[in-house]
Amino acid sequence: GDVTGISAGGYHSMFLSTVGGSYACGANVYGQLGDDTTVNKDVPTYITGDVTGIAAGSDFSMFLSTGSVAYACGLNNSNQLGDGTTVNKWVPTHITGDVTGVSAGGDHSMFLSTVGDSYACGANVYGQLGDDTTSSKSVPTSITGDVTGISAGGYHSMFLSTGSGAYACGYNAQGQLGDGTTANKDVPTHITGNVSGISAGYLHSMFFSSGKNYYACGLNDYGQLGDGTTVNKDVPTYISGQGA
């Protein structure tokens, strides 16, 4: 009980308590739980306090402190932690300040600044960072402004603009960007408007419209899009809600 936030990673889970303490359990081989060990935990274990946000990536974790500071721990082979190194960290390590949101992907990280700018670091082979390159970045790198939401997927990224437009970049082989193609994009590309929420999965994406409808696109081999088929979709496809 007394939990106000949760986040599920590749093989670990994170919990945020009502008093600002973070807990974690699961795989810990890279220090992704943040308890200064590499011992797996099978119950939620206290990690740190004064936390307002959490994000679990594939093999790493991100924390947002009450002072708008981002911390990270775990696997760092692709610079996903953003501390300028490729050294794994077993405890939450200071990354950057003036942050109001964090999102952890497969091997990249996204940050939302207090003034609505987005930053990213880590692997970039598919253009998932959105900086118009395919070069990895070892520290948070400015991507775009006028952003109110971010979500990092397996190998792609999603952005929600102040004008309620959804943008995406990165790996697109399964149509997960939703732009009607399967071509990768290395800059945030406009997908659709009238959006109030976004969520990037491993190889699929979800959109919540301002009209309270859910849409999804991308890989659908297990029916993860929820449209009653197992056919991939390369544009946001109506799933459920008030009506298409």
Side-chain angles (χ1 to χ4, degrees), residues 18-114:
T18 54
V19 295
S22 66
Y23 295 75
C25 61
N28 197 25
V29 65
Y30 302 109
Q32 59 262 54
L33 300 189
D35 68 337
D36 203 18
T37 79
T38 55
V39 179
N40 299 344
K41 302 295 185 300
D42 59 10
V43 295
T45 301
Y46 178 80
I47 306 302
T48 188
D50 297 323
V51 175
T52 60
I54 51 176
S58 180
D59 296 296
F60 67 104
S61 301
M62 302 176 71
F63 307 80
L64 182 60
S65 79
T66 53
S68 300
V69 178
Y71 295 77
C73 62
L75 186 65
N76 199 23
N77 62 330
S78 298
N79 299 121
Q80 55 265 60
L81 301 189
D83 70 333
T85 79
T86 53
V87 178
N88 299 345
K89 302 295 186 300
W90 296 2
V91 295
T93 301
H94 179 275
I95 305 302
T96 188
D98 297 324
V99 175
T100 188
V102 291
S103 185
D107 48 12
H108 72 292
S109 300
M110 300 178 70
F111 306 81
L112 180 60
S113 80
T114 53

Side-chain angles (χ1 to χ4, degrees), residues 13 24 29 49 65 68 82 85 94 105 112 125 127 146-147 164 171 200 209 217-218 225 237 243:
S13 301
V29 65
S65 79
S68 300
T85 79
H94 179 275
L112 180 60
V125 65
D146 296 324
V147 176
S164 300
Y171 192 52
S209 77
C217 61
L225 300 189
T237 301

Side-chain angles (χ1 to χ4, degrees), residues 133-156:
T133 79
T134 53
S135 302
S136 65
K137 301 297 182 295
S138 63
V139 296
T141 300
S142 179
I143 306 301
T144 187
D146 296 324
V147 176
T148 60
I150 52 174
S151 186
Y155 306 101
H156 70 294

Side-chain angles (χ1 to χ4, degrees), residues 155-183:
Y155 306 101
H156 70 294
S157 300
M158 301 177 69
F159 307 80
L160 182 60
S161 76
T162 53
S164 300
Y167 293 74
C169 61
Y171 192 52
N172 198 26
Q174 287 78 31
Q176 56 264 56
L177 299 189
D179 70 334
T181 79
T182 54

